[in-house]
Amino acid sequence: MAARPQAYVPCVRRALLLAVLAVPLLGWALHAIALQRRLASASRDPLTGLLRRDGYTAKAQQILDRYGNDTVTLICDLDHFKEINDRLGHPAGDAVLAATAQRLAKWAGSTAAVGRLGGDEFALTTRLGSGLQHACLARLMSSLTQPVLLDDGQVVNVEASVGAATPDAIGTTNLSRLLRAADAALYDGKHTGRATIAGARHGANASVNGRRAGRPGTRDLARAS
C-alpha cells in the first residue's frame, strides 16, 4: 500500500475542523431564517396577508418621504359589510375581505404599502403621478366592486367607498394628516361608487386621535381623552 503524502493528514484535520465549525454556523443561519419568517408573519394580517397597521405606517411613510408629491394615500372601506356577515355568515365576510385585499394589492403593485387597519377598513400608499390619478382610481373602483364568488357557488355583490389624498393637495407628506384627509373624502363620497380625491378642506377637518371627527368610534375616543 502506498504511503500517503505528508500533507494529507493536515488537510484532513483542517477539513474536520471546518466541518465542526460549520455545524453551529449552519444552525445559527437556520435559526436566523426561521426568526425572520416569524417576524414577517407577525407583521401581516393572517386573513388577508396585508401589512398590519404598524407595518403599513412605517412603509407608507418611507414611500411618502422618497416620492413626495408623486404619491397617493387611500382609505377604503366596504359598504354594507355588516349585512354580508349577518346574512351569509362570517366565512362569507372573510372571503370578501380577502378578495378586497387581493384587489387592492394587485392595483397598487409590489412596491406599495397596503395594510388592513381593522375590520373592513384598508389603507394604501403608492407612487402615482397626478396625471394618472383619476383614470387609475376609476380602474380601482371597478375592481373593488366586482362580485365575489364563494366556495359554495354563491355570489356576493360588493360595494366599496374610497377616499384619496395627495401631498400636493393637502400640503404635507405626513401620513397621519393624509389619512385624515382621505378619511374625510371617503365619507363625502360614501355610496357614490366613485373614489373621492381630498382637497384642502378635507385636510382641515377636525380630528380625534388622527381620525375624522364624527367617524364611528371617535365620540368614545373624545370622551376618554
Side-chain angles (χ1 to χ4, degrees):
M1 180 177 178
R4 294 191 177 100
Q6 289 184 341
Y8 176 80
V9 173
C11 286
V12 171
R13 288 176 178 170
R14 283 197 295 271
L16 289 173
L17 178 61
L18 290 172
V20 170
L21 292 173
V23 170
L25 290 175
L26 177 61
W28 278 110
L30 293 174
H31 174 73
I33 292 171
L35 180 60
Q36 185 178 19
R37 287 176 176 171
R38 284 199 295 271
L39 290 173
S41 176
S43 70
R44 301 228 167 230
D45 172 58
L47 173 63
T48 64
L50 298 183
L51 293 168
R52 295 181 189 267
R53 184 182 293 269
D54 288 347
Y56 161 74
T57 298
K59 187 173 182 180
Q61 192 60 62
Q62 289 175 355
I63 293 170
L64 289 165
D65 291 342
R66 181 172 182 180
Y67 297 111
N69 285 342
D70 290 328
T71 61
V72 64
T73 293
L74 311 179
I75 285 187
C76 166
D77 70 17
L78 298 175
D79 302 338
H80 315 298
F81 180 68
K82 184 177 183 300
E83 294 178 15
I84 294 174
N85 276 332
D86 291 345
R87 182 167 53 87
L88 300 175
H90 288 283
D94 288 349
V96 170
L97 291 173
T100 300
Q102 291 172 3
R103 292 165 179 179
L104 287 167
K106 182 178 180 180
W107 178 85
S110 60
T111 60
V114 188
R116 182 185 179 196
L117 301 184
D120 62 317
E121 185 179 45
F122 303 87
L124 183 159
T125 299
T126 190
R127 187 180 183 185
L128 183 65
S130 58
L132 301 173
Q133 289 170 10
H134 289 282
C136 288
L137 290 173
R139 285 198 295 271
L140 174 62
M141 292 304 299
S142 177
S143 173
L144 291 175
T145 54
Q146 293 297 312
V148 174
L149 178 63
L150 304 181
D151 289 340
D152 61 4
Q154 290 189 83
V155 175
V156 182
N157 292 319
V158 179
E159 297 178 38
S161 294
V162 169
T166 59
D168 58 342
I170 307 305
T172 183
T173 56
N174 178 271
L175 178 63
S176 179
R177 290 178 61 188
L178 290 168
L179 286 172
R180 183 178 69 195
D183 189 45
L186 181 153
Y187 275 84
D188 262 3
K190 195 74 172 166
H191 306 301
T192 64
R194 299 186 303 273
T196 303
I197 299 178
R201 67 182 179 86
H202 295 106
N205 277 12
S207 66
V208 177
N209 285 10
R211 304 311 301 275
R212 179 184 61 84
R215 178 175 177 70
T218 56
R219 184 176 302 173
D220 295 334
L221 290 170
R223 188 181 298 119
S225 61

